[in-house]
Amino acid sequence: RFRMPAIDLSTTVGGNASGELVLRLIGDLDMASAYLVSSWMDAFRAGSAYVIDLSGVTFIDSHGLAALLEAQASAESTNASLTLRSPSKQALDLLMLTGLDLHFTIALSTTQVAAQ
């Protein structure tokens, strides 16, 4: 009997003074939760600047990476920008390991910049 894994990810959607649409992820970005990223992109198709805040991501797998790549493709299809903001150590390590850190626009936090 197949059971869907539990979703261990919470999201907060908002905007900022720069007009960016912001999705803040907290928890696991994996097979069970990756669809939330594409759902957010679909819900706000008219945006010109998207930010996905990864500072609260505690786990990310290939499904999570695929969701981020799909979000990037979706943004590019409408000439919008997508920035990954303040990725957690786990998320940044995986992005760097896969070489995807070169594919995305990544905005590090001031703490992350100072640590490099």
Side-chain angles (χ1 to χ4, degrees):
R1 189 172 182 187
F2 179 75
R3 290 181 56 192
M4 280 296 292
I7 295 175
D8 186 19
L9 182 77
S10 64
T11 62
T12 305
V13 176
N16 62 28
S18 302
E20 298 169 323
L21 294 167
V22 181
L23 175 66
R24 182 159 192 257
L25 303 174
I26 301 170
D28 297 348
L29 183 54
D30 57 14
M31 180 176 77
S33 60
Y35 77 93
L36 295 170
V37 175
S38 59
S39 295
W40 173 70
M41 292 294 292
D42 290 343
F44 296 100
R45 295 289 294 167
S48 62
Y50 299 93
V51 175
I52 300 178
D53 184 327
L54 299 174
S55 61
V57 171
T58 54
F59 175 81
I60 184 170
D61 67 6
S62 60
H63 294 93
L65 289 178
L68 297 177
L69 287 167
E70 289 173 18
Q72 178 69 28
S74 179
E76 288 175 353
S77 74
T78 61
N79 294 320
S81 65
L82 174 74
T83 301
L84 303 181
R85 184 171 67 198
S86 304
S88 65
K89 179 178 179 353
Q90 203 279 339
L92 185 58
D93 286 350
L94 189 57
L95 288 166
M96 292 173 69
L97 178 70
T98 58
L100 290 175
D101 58 317
L102 303 175
H103 178 77
F104 290 104
T105 300
I106 299 175
L108 299 176
S109 69
T110 53
T111 305
Q112 290 170 312
V113 171
Q116 289 190 345

